[in-house]
Amino acid sequence: MVDSKRFLARGGECWVRAAGARGAGGGTGERMRPGGGISPSFVAQQRIRQLEQKLRAKEERIVVLETENALLHLKLAEFRGLIGRDTNEVTQLNFVHDKQQNLCRSTSSIIIQVYGAIQRLKRDLKNLHSFALELSRDFQHQCKNSFYQVLTAVQRIQLQNEAMQTFQTKAFDLELSLQEVNERYQQEKQKRKILHNSLVELRGNIRVHCRIRPLLPFDTASGHSVSQDWHRKLSEKVAHATDDETVLVKCNRPGHTLINKTFQFDRVYSAAESQNTVFADVAPLLTSLLDGYNVCIMAYGQTGSGKTYTMLGPQSEDDVTLSIEDELELGIIPRATEEVFRLISEKPPGSHWVEVSVVEVYNNEIFDLLAKDSCGRVFGVKRDVVTTKEGKSDVPLLTYETVENAVEFLQLVDKGLQLRVKHPTLVHAHSSRSHLVVTLTITTKAVSADSFAPLWTDEQSSQRLSKELFCTFPQQMKDDKLIFPSRASSPAQFESTEKLKHIKTKLQLVDLAGSECVGMSGVTGVALRETSFINRSLSALSDVLGAIAEQRSHIPYRNSKLTHLLQDSIGGNAKLLVMLCVSPCQKYLAESLQSLGFGTRARQVQRGQVKKRNLPVSSKSK
């Protein structure tokens, strides 16, 4: 307190002195000499005034420092007071320590430790404060960076939104262009259907292909005791494919002159041509199948001429199942099924579904090879074929199984093949003794004739649109509703009443049993009876083709269950392909000539224009 009073008194004295100095400097001393120069006294006064100003600044600085010193003294006094109080407390503790020495020693030690801890805490607090400041600076720096990044991201989003709007505009334009292209595609698709079916019809609704198989090991085997020279002559190759449409047969018989006979067919395959090449000429018919036409493909020929290989693929005695692993050896049936499902996959989902039936004609009786007993086991059940009121052939109670892909189809055909009758003969070790007929029934959702009410101003345009609607399949399906693409230039509009009908088309794949010469095959007993029925059914098939070719008023379809079953394919509205299978050997010359003659008669059949299946068909019982 004494120091504070002394500081205040000294400060006041300094202010009084400074005021007097300012009063003294403010006099009216002489500045100029009488002659007009500056007097030395004036210069001295100015110098003194400057020094006094510096002095006053120093004194003011001293006052400030003294003020700070006073504040520091005050704080020092405060700390001394605190220390005094601490000293009193220590004295009291010492007094207590005198009374309780052991307790005081431990307390003193604790106090020293606590004091050290406090000092450490202070240091830690100071470090923590520094770290907090540094952390705060870093946080501010990161906030700034984040702010800049957010601004950058917002700018990018704005640019992306602008680009997205541009893309949406372009996408809208592309959708319009795509719609126009789709409309043009549908138009061209309809034209393709018309041209494709016109091309198939120009080639002939009954097409005959001929396939000459290569020489096989069993061709050199002989069941008769003949000389080696004659045996070698029997194994000679007498049937050749001279080009893609001509078969040359060398008729070399003992005691007769050599005669070369030629046969013309729509397509001739040499022994070197693969299964893929054969199917390439069959595939166009499957397109017609989905365009609304029935299709039938049958293999005809003698036993051992390669019919089953052509239709199904290679089979052994122990394993007759079909497989799609070896694609190069697949026959027409598995390939055709894969192609059908491929074509269906290109159609709107749910617009097509496929049902399969497998039957065999054995000893002039029809057996359902997919029928099941009460335990679910498959076994052949005898069925009968009838003629409906519309003049079509039908098999009541025939089993139809729905399939969704080629694998399921092959599994069903495998079950049927397990039941197909086979017996070995001298000509072929795995001779089929029955005619196999595999039928794929494709049901298509189509528009009925009263589903649309066209609004026209021109009668000719009305006829044209009616032809497009009722003679073609719907272009787009969605939830059983027909949807046509909108056309800006369309001259008319039509109203949908959401009425649909089902159109059924059939693909019949037939592997006929081989014709046989009893003396050549060496069959007896049951096999001989089977041969008799096989030859009679094939003869009936030849008679039917002959009657159609000669345009007789009566066609003997009912002379055989085979011809009765295939009535719609042979003389009906199906597109028929006959695949003649011929052996090239000399010893099968008679059978080869008979097969080639059958094919020649089949080519002469004129059935008129094939009709499209555009009427609803009643469903079969399953």
Side-chain angles (χ1 to χ4, degrees), residues 96-114:
V96 174
H97 176 69
D98 293 338
K99 293 182 179 180
Q100 298 179 353
Q101 295 180 356
N102 295 329
L103 182 61
C104 288
R105 291 193 188 94
S106 61
T107 304
S108 177
S109 176
I110 293 173
I111 290 173
I112 293 172
Q113 293 177 1
V114 169

Side-chain angles (χ1 to χ4, degrees), residues 7 25 97 182 236 265 273 306 380 391 401 442 445 514 578 602 607:
F7 169 74
H97 176 69
N182 188 37
E236 288 180 354
F265 300 106
E273 292 186 273
E401 296 285 350
I442 300 176
K445 294 179 182 178
V578 178
R607 299 185 306 175

Side-chain angles (χ1 to χ4, degrees), residues 451-458 461-462 465 469 484-496:
S451 296
F452 292 89
L455 305 177
W456 296 96
T457 59
D458 184 86
S461 300
S462 176
L465 181 62
L469 287 177
F484 286 89
S486 60
R487 301 187 183 184
S489 60
S490 177
Q493 299 176 352
F494 27 84
E495 301 174 355
S496 173

Side-chain angles (χ1 to χ4, degrees), residues 422-433:
K422 291 187 177 183
H423 286 152
T425 66
L426 296 179
V427 176
H428 192 262
H430 314 297
S431 176
S432 301
R433 315 307 290 172

Side-chain angles (χ1 to χ4, degrees), residues 198-230:
S198 298
L199 177 61
V200 174
E201 290 169 4
L202 288 174
R203 290 178 175 175
N205 293 330
I206 293 183
R207 305 199 68 205
V208 180
H209 294 187
C210 179
R211 187 180 193 185
I212 303 175
R213 69 162 174 82
L215 291 173
L216 298 176
F218 65 81
D219 291 330
T220 59
S222 176
H224 307 278
S225 57
V226 295
S227 64
Q228 293 183 354
D229 293 340
W230 179 241

Side-chain angles (χ1 to χ4, degrees), residues 169-451:
T169 303
K170 292 181 179 179
F172 180 74
D173 295 338
L174 289 175
E175 286 179 357
L176 294 178
S177 301
L178 180 61
Q179 185 176 2
E180 294 177 358
V181 171
N182 188 37
E183 292 174 358
R184 292 170 56 189
Y185 165 73
Q186 296 297 338
Q187 295 174 358
E188 296 299 327
K189 185 177 179 182
Q190 297 302 324
K191 293 180 181 179
R192 181 208 61 79
K193 287 183 179 179
I194 296 173
L195 292 175
H196 169 78
N197 291 294
S198 298
L199 177 61
V200 174
E201 290 169 4
L202 288 174
R203 290 178 175 175
N205 293 330
I206 293 183
R207 305 199 68 205
V208 180
H209 294 187
C210 179
R211 187 180 193 185
I212 303 175
R213 69 162 174 82
L215 291 173
L216 298 176
F218 65 81
D219 291 330
T220 59
S222 176
H224 307 278
S225 57
V226 295
S227 64
Q228 293 183 354
D229 293 340
W230 179 241
H231 178 63
R232 184 175 63 254
K233 290 180 180 180
L234 290 177
S235 302
E236 288 180 354
K237 191 173 182 180
V238 296
H240 305 271
T242 58
D243 55 37
D244 289 346
E245 297 180 351
T246 306
V247 177
L248 174 64
V249 180
K250 298 178 181 179
C251 299
N252 186 11
R253 298 182 180 179
H256 296 80
T257 58
L258 177 63
I259 300 175
N260 292 333
K261 291 186 178 181
T262 58
F263 298 87
Q264 297 289 329
F265 300 106
D266 298 287
R267 182 69 164 88
V268 175
Y269 306 98
S270 65
E273 292 186 273
S274 64
Q275 298 273 64
N276 191 35
T277 303
V278 174
F279 182 72
D281 295 321
V282 176
L285 290 174
L286 304 178
T287 304
S288 298
L289 177 69
L290 293 187
D291 288 345
Y293 296 88
N294 289 334
V295 175
C296 178
I297 303 171
M298 67 169 60
Y300 182 95
Q302 71 173 97
T303 300
S305 59
K307 299 183 304 302
T308 302
Y309 174 79
T310 299
M311 296 301 294
L312 297 172
Q315 292 181 312
S316 63
E317 183 178 2
D318 299 330
D319 185 11
V320 296
T321 60
L322 296 177
S323 174
I324 59 174
E325 295 179 357
D326 189 1
E327 295 184 357
L328 296 178
E329 297 295 327
L330 287 177
I332 291 177
I333 292 179
R335 287 175 184 267
T337 308
E338 288 185 336
E339 179 66 11
V340 167
F341 280 104
R342 187 192 68 81
L343 294 173
I344 290 177
S345 66
E346 298 175 355
K347 304 296 181 180
S351 62
H352 296 72
W353 62 90
V354 181
E355 296 173 317
V356 178
S357 66
V358 181
V359 301
E360 71 170 350
V361 181
Y362 174 67
N363 288 349
N364 203 32
E365 296 291 346
I366 297 176
F367 292 90
D368 184 357
L369 299 184
L370 296 183
K372 298 179 181 179
D373 58 12
S374 58
C375 298
R377 293 173 297 185
V378 178
F379 71 106
V381 176
K382 185 185 295 186
R383 306 292 188 193
D384 197 8
V385 57
V386 298
T387 302
T388 63
K389 295 180 180 180
E390 295 80 12
K392 307 296 181 181
S393 62
D394 186 28
V395 180
L397 304 179
L398 183 62
T399 303
Y400 290 88
E401 296 285 350
T402 302
V403 295
E404 296 182 356
N405 50 57
V407 176
E408 294 181 2
F409 166 80
L410 294 180
Q411 291 175 352
L412 291 177
V413 175
D414 285 341
K415 294 179 181 179
L417 292 177
Q418 298 291 338
L419 300 176
R420 189 180 185 186
V421 180
K422 291 187 177 183
H423 286 152
T425 66
L426 296 179
V427 176
H428 192 262
H430 314 297
S431 176
S432 301
R433 315 307 290 172
S434 65
H435 308 292
L436 179 69
V437 181
V438 179
T439 304
L440 279 80
T441 304
I442 300 176
T443 305
T444 306
K445 294 179 182 178
V447 179
S448 60
D450 57 348
S451 296

